[in-house]
Amino acid sequence: MSVKGKKVLHMDRNSYYGGESASITPLEDLFKRFSLPGSPPESMGKGRDWNVDLIPKFLMANGNTFNQFGICNNVVPRVNVKKGQLVRMLLITQVTRYLDFKVIEGSFVYKKGSIYKVPSTETEALASSLMGLFEKRRFRKFLVFVANFDENDPKTMEGVDPKKTTMRDVYKKFDLGQDVIDFTGHALALYRTDDYLDQPCIETINRIKLYSESLARYGKSPYLYPLYGLGELPQGFARLSAIYGGTYMLNKPIEEIVMENGKVVGVKSEGEIARCKQLICDPSYIMDRANKVGQVIRMICIMNHPIKNTGDANSCQIIIPQNQVNRKHDIYVCMISYAHNVAAQGKYIAIVSTTVETSDPEKEIKPALDLLEPVVQKFVSISDLYAPTDVGAESQIFISRSYDATTHFETTCDDIKDIYRRMTGTEFDFAEMERKKNDIFGDAADQ
């Protein structure tokens, strides 16, 4: 909004950037936040060596990222592929100039108590121990079909109508079994539930293409993660906003949202009123205009070792598909480590998350915890999920949704685009923003 010429005042009741998804440092502050007695043991190293994300999420990479992001330890051929949504937003806004990224070393899927590398190419499909011989051949044919699929070229469709044929019918066409459907829908297409099965297949095909092509670009996984943690992201946007006249205030308590005739006109803080025409906020600032829609459990686990059966990866994602553990929602494991400057030397941080379904949330994530043992220290949180009941048409108050359990930013970006549409009355147009980039940034866009 600052780049678009709007006057932006960003107020935060917290003393740190990032709100609900902040990176906490030093480690002593994490112990205090979770009301744990005493201080971290000396074996955990210096407190300042830790930057622990409360809600860790990975960025889906793209083929041009190598040139425009600061990416460490990456020597692979350049391939032109699609971008994940947040990567596109970062590139458009040039926030990447403030950040350095590292590739996540592996993406895994859970099946019957064990984890396997997610196969997303023909070669990997044939080599994977996740499937039997005949299943491998069928899955390989499916991947070739997806890779060649072009909704503008009927020859590539093999009788599939991208806007009418359901994904369930596409799986039937290739005679894929339930286990393969599970990891395809949840570990490649990154769906949280199985609702997608009865929807038109084009969205799923495009999601699998994005995953496979991003993986082709990086080799180890299609995901990126910023050095020093996700707390660097809001700081990067705050710096960018400041360049274009935006003001960022931390430690600013919000006393009142000032309304006149049903429309927001300002925000009161410490006796002063900042006038505004539009207001964007998370649900915690205006609870009477949001509804609770669920809960998420997250457990931060500090470990002295990488996760077993990941090839000693310093970072990885594990998805436990819902059907594998008789649930309605997937369980996610996101692991980073000292290699990302978020933990002391030789230490690893794994965060388990899922949507709560029962009255015993910790028992729900046991399949994931079994993969991590032994764990040195656990920090458990159960957060309510909220969605806005007011879309902002009259009030001009635009409320975001709470962060879900996923370990990627794609759903969060959908929410950003939804807020943009509600605020401006137009869709967020990546292509238009990319065309404007050079006009906005001048020579900086090419650096």
Side-chain angles (χ1 to χ4, degrees), residues 17-18 21-23 51 53 99 225-226 228-236:
Y17 291 97
S21 61
S23 295
N51 289 283
D53 290 330
L99 304 169
Y225 184 81
Y228 302 101
L230 294 175
E232 296 296 296
L233 281 175
Q235 290 187 60

Side-chain angles (χ1 to χ4, degrees), residues 297-301 350-353 362 365 369 378-380:
I297 179 171
R298 294 183 178 92
M299 184 179 286
I300 299 170
C301 301
I351 297 93
V352 179
S353 58
E362 287 195 46
I365 58 173
L369 292 179
K378 298 172 184 173
F379 306 85
V380 185

Side-chain angles (χ1 to χ4, degrees), residues 148-167:
N148 293 332
F149 194 92
D150 179 352
E151 56 184 316
N152 299 314
D153 183 358
K155 291 179 195 168
T156 67
M157 296 182 185
E158 299 183 23
V160 170
D161 184 327
K163 297 198 169 128
K164 290 184 182 174
T165 308
T166 66
M167 201 60 212

